[in-house]
Amino acid sequence: MTATATARAQTSAPATSALRQRLGRAGTYVILIVYSLIAVFPVALILINSFKDKREVFSSPYSLPNPINMSGYETVFGRANVIRYFGNSLAVTLTTIILVLLFGAMAAYALSEYRFFGNRFLAIYFALGIMIPVRLGTVSLIRLMKTLNLHGTLGALILVYAAAGLPISIFILHSFMHDVPRELKDAARVDGASEYRILFQLVMPLVRPALATVAVFHMIPVWNDLWWPLVLASGESVRTITLGISWFVGQFKTDWSALLASLSLAMMPVLILYALFSRQLIRGLSEGAVKL
Amino acid sequence: MEQVAARRPRRFYILVFVLPAFILYSMFMAFPLLDSLRLSLYQEQAGGPDVFVGLANFERLFNDPVWSERFWNALRNNFVFFAVHMLVQNPIALLLAALLTTRGVRGVALFRTILFAPTTLSFVIIGFIWQLMLSPLWGILNNPAKTLGLPTPLLGQTQSALVTVSLVSVWQFVGLPMMLFSAALISISEELIDAARVDGATGWQTFWRVRFPLILPTVGIVGILTFVGNFNAFDLIYTMQGALAPPNFGTDILGTFFYRTTFGGGATQRPNPIMGTTIATIMFLIILTGVLIYLFGIQRRLVRAES
């Protein structure tokens, strides 16, 4: 208030600018809130309606479920092997991340630590893979997997995801490992530590945030991928949750409660994990992004 | 590689460090990509080895009416898909990032979490959610669209289907460029912005004259990532519309065309993996062109401007 009074006493310009600032601030919140609603609305609507019976879904889509109806969920659990699909997705995602972290860190360390013949060539060779999607090699990959007798197995998925994940991991880890002070490593060498020990017991723990970033980079795309399960491992026993959902949503085309329930089931674990770890996830993504 | 080991046997550990990644990457990424390019020059022969046919497959793709109509259609649609992302997704992402990094705005962490949430869900879920939202049966969005005089159902009309799926993709992915822009905006030093303020610049001016020029490299990265992602897209259209990309191939992009050609689609089209590799090669060349333009045109200029 005093500010406005003084402002008026002098000229009117600062007063308009204060008003403008306040309007600007209000506008900021309006835009953020409106866009947040746009982001949340479809997801929330599906979740809410998954607890209603079919009639209620159509008659009052916007009301809260009353009473809570679980028939959709019962249908889904009765008909589809949800637990197995989850297990498959978990196995594939975790194994991929471990392979990418281990092999990625080893290669990144070698490239950042030693000068050797072919170092530059290798760095470029790996970097090429960052931008080129492995999907374009699908036809040859399927032939290869058939030759190796891996077609239709979870192993095939893991190998493709790990191979495709290595370039960006090596790139991110390379720049983090480059920042580990040389004196630390040299001190360990003087103490007689082998190069393996230096990597696994000294450098790896020091770049733990970078490892977390790399893990975050791969977790979501691997878990959510549809293409490779569809073309490499679509059998019932190796189906991932993402492929499983797409398959049983097709089955339930007319059973809306089951349809909504299966979508909600697929979303919930991801959303819960995201709610718990969003801070770390977003920080990891931004840190990785800065390194790009 | 082996030469290195032979010449300097004492540095055997380098080989141990590099080899697993090298083998995995070469075998399951580099080889399939290159072999796929090679296959596009061949033709399958019943019961025998593939026959080398030079560029005949490309000739067919470009000129044979059976293929060319679908191909040019998918390519055109893909450019529309990309244009919608560049014109809608990236400006919205920039706006949200700018608002989130404005000093004194509260609840940034909460807003960021909410805005990024759709990006964490799979295409399959997103695709089906929006299929339901847009369904004329349920009417959640179909009825308002009808009231506004838009062609309904939005996914079923040639004029609206492609833009609608593009916008769903924008809805899902806006969080990613938003994060990239935010990360860049946060790293700008506070003093620079203060200096602009002291000089009497408004928030709008500060953004366009100080902050935006400083994040140009990120604008470039977002551009190329959007390009690569869009010309490799498939999943969302496949889940929302199916492999046939209706209406009348109105939502067909290179990814769905590639899938349908390789694995067959509908009752009429038999799988043709070799033509699949031909389409994949075209996609490869398009993406490579984009990446090269970025690396040698855009990035180099930006780096020079920065120094």
Side-chain angles (χ1 to χ4, degrees), chain A residues 20 25 28-29 31-33 35-36 38-43 45-46 49 57-58 61-62 103 106-107 109-110 114-117 122 125-126 128-129 131-145 148 159-160 162-164 166-167 170 195-196 199-200 220 224-227 230-231 242 245-246 249 253 256 259-260 263 266-267 270-271 274 278-279 281-282 285-286 289-290 292, chain B residues 1 3-4 7-8 11-14 16-18 20-22 24-33 35-36 39 44 50 92 95-96 99-100 102-106 109 111-122 124-125 128-133 135 137-138 140 171 174 179-180 183 202 221 224-225 228 232-235 238-239 258-259 262-263 273-274 277 280 283-284 287-288 291:
Chain A
R20 214 194 213 169
R25 186 52 41 93
T28 300
Y29 286 113
I31 293 173
L32 286 175
I33 290 168
Y35 204 87
S36 298
I38 294 176
V40 165
F41 174 69
V43 175
L45 197 68
I46 299 293
N49 281 285
V57 169
F58 283 95
Y62 298 109
F103 294 166
M106 284 160 61
Y109 182 67
Y114 314 114
R115 287 182 174 202
F116 57 91
F117 175 78
L122 268 182
Y125 176 60
F126 281 122
L128 285 175
M131 286 295 185
I132 306 297
V134 65
R135 178 179 292 179
L136 301 179
T138 299
V139 174
S140 299
L141 249 173
I142 290 177
R143 288 185 171 194
L144 177 67
M145 290 301 181
L148 296 173
L159 288 170
V160 178
L166 279 169
I170 293 175
E195 293 300 313
Y196 305 105
L199 170 61
F200 289 111
I220 298 174
N224 285 342
D225 185 51
L226 174 67
W227 177 269
L230 190 65
V231 305
T242 305
I245 294 297
S246 78
V249 163
K253 270 266 146 72
W256 277 62
L259 198 62
L260 294 163
L263 284 176
M267 279 194 284
V270 180
L271 289 177
Y274 178 66
S278 67
R279 201 168 283 247
L281 179 100
I282 288 171
L285 282 179
S286 331
V290 172
L292 274 178
Chain B
M1 296 295 305
Q3 264 183 349
V4 183
R7 250 192 304 160
R8 293 190 195 151
R11 299 217 293 170
F12 181 68
Y13 48 80
I14 295 184
V16 175
F17 284 147
V18 170
F22 181 78
L24 198 58
Y25 173 74
S26 302
M27 207 166 155
F28 297 104
M29 180 134 178
F31 165 75
L33 281 171
D35 188 56
S36 208
L39 279 177
E44 254 174 328
D50 302 335
I92 291 179
L95 171 69
L96 294 173
L99 296 179
L100 286 176
T102 308
R103 213 182 309 167
V105 171
R106 281 151 183 267
F111 280 125
R112 216 169 30 187
T113 301
I114 292 174
L115 294 172
F116 192 72
T119 314
T120 62
L121 296 174
S122 81
V124 175
I125 297 174
F128 285 123
I129 287 183
W130 281 94
Q131 215 183 34
L132 298 182
M133 301 278 298
S135 148
L137 258 178
W138 205 12
I140 300 287
W171 175 84
V174 80
M179 297 305 310
L180 293 169
T202 62
I221 290 174
I224 187 62
L225 289 181
V228 174
N232 179 41
F234 158 79
D235 313 54
Y238 177 76
T239 32
F258 169 48
Y259 176 84
T262 309
F263 300 101
I274 294 277
T277 62
M283 292 166 75
F284 177 87
I287 290 172
L288 193 69
V291 171

Side-chain angles (χ1 to χ4, degrees), chain A residues 89 92-94 96-97 161 212-227 229 240-242 266 269-271 273-275 277-285, chain B residues 113 116-126 172-173 175-176 179 235:
Chain A
S89 280
V92 168
T93 310
L94 287 180
T96 301
I97 289 176
Y161 292 140
T213 298
V214 169
V216 157
F217 252 80
H218 294 104
M219 213 158 44
I220 298 174
V222 170
W223 181 275
N224 285 342
D225 185 51
L226 174 67
W227 177 269
T240 61
I241 187 70
T242 305
V270 180
L271 289 177
L273 277 178
Y274 178 66
F277 296 111
S278 67
R279 201 168 283 247
Q280 288 85 337
L281 179 100
I282 288 171
R283 199 198 309 130
L285 282 179
Chain B
T113 301
F116 192 72
T119 314
T120 62
L121 296 174
S122 81
F123 292 103
V124 175
I125 297 174
I126 303 289
Q172 173 172 21
F173 277 114
L176 219 48
M179 297 305 310
D235 313 54

Side-chain angles (χ1 to χ4, degrees), chain A residues 26-290:
Chain A
T28 300
Y29 286 113
V30 168
I31 293 173
L32 286 175
I33 290 168
V34 167
Y35 204 87
S36 298
L37 289 176
I38 294 176
V40 165
F41 174 69
V43 175
L45 197 68
I46 299 293
L47 287 174
I48 291 171
N49 281 285
S50 72
F51 294 103
K52 297 178 186 170
D53 70 11
K54 190 182 170 182
R55 197 176 32 81
E56 222 188 329
V57 169
F58 283 95
S59 62
S60 48
Y62 298 109
S63 68
L64 287 173
N66 182 34
I68 286 183
N69 181 305
M70 300 291 282
S71 64
Y73 289 88
E74 282 155 23
T75 318
V76 175
F77 273 106
R79 278 229 243 138
N81 213 337
V82 188
I83 306 291
R84 160 168 264 168
Y85 300 161
F86 268 116
N88 287 339
S89 280
L90 205 62
V92 168
T93 310
L94 287 180
T95 321
T96 301
I97 289 176
I98 291 170
L99 285 179
V100 163
L101 288 181
L102 182 66
F103 294 166
M106 284 160 61
Y109 182 67
L111 291 176
S112 70
E113 183 66 17
Y114 314 114
R115 287 182 174 202
F116 57 91
F117 175 78
N119 182 317
R120 245 191 102 67
F121 163 77
L122 268 182
I124 294 171
Y125 176 60
F126 281 122
L128 285 175
I130 295 178
M131 286 295 185
I132 306 297
V134 65
R135 178 179 292 179
L136 301 179
T138 299
V139 174
S140 299
L141 249 173
I142 290 177
R143 288 185 171 194
L144 177 67
M145 290 301 181
K146 282 186 175 154
T147 317
L148 296 173
N149 250 330
L150 286 169
H151 192 261
T153 66
L154 294 178
L157 295 180
I158 293 167
L159 288 170
V160 178
Y161 292 140
L166 279 169
I168 187 84
S169 317
I170 293 175
F171 191 74
I172 293 174
L173 292 172
H174 185 293
S175 69
F176 275 89
M177 285 180 171
H178 204 76
D179 299 341
V180 174
R182 179 152 287 279
E183 297 81 48
L184 279 177
K185 288 173 278 191
D186 285 342
R189 285 192 185 108
V190 170
D191 289 344
S194 71
E195 293 300 313
Y196 305 105
R197 269 196 72 176
I198 293 178
L199 170 61
F200 289 111
Q201 296 189 351
L202 177 75
V203 176
M204 292 265 276
L206 282 173
V207 297
R208 216 179 301 147
L211 295 174
T213 298
V214 169
V216 157
F217 252 80
H218 294 104
M219 213 158 44
I220 298 174
V222 170
W223 181 275
N224 285 342
D225 185 51
L226 174 67
W227 177 269
W228 293 110
L230 190 65
V231 305
L232 272 185
S234 55
E236 160 74 21
S237 63
V238 289
R239 221 167 265 166
T240 61
I241 187 70
T242 305
L243 182 61
I245 294 297
S246 78
W247 178 81
F248 58 68
V249 163
Q251 295 256 301
F252 298 143
K253 270 266 146 72
T254 49
D255 184 347
W256 277 62
S257 314
L259 198 62
L260 294 163
S262 54
L263 284 176
S264 304
L265 266 178
M267 279 194 284
M268 272 183 237
V270 180
L271 289 177
I272 291 170
L273 277 178
Y274 178 66
L276 292 175
F277 296 111
S278 67
R279 201 168 283 247
Q280 288 85 337
L281 179 100
I282 288 171
R283 199 198 309 130
L285 282 179
S286 331
E287 267 161 19
V290 172

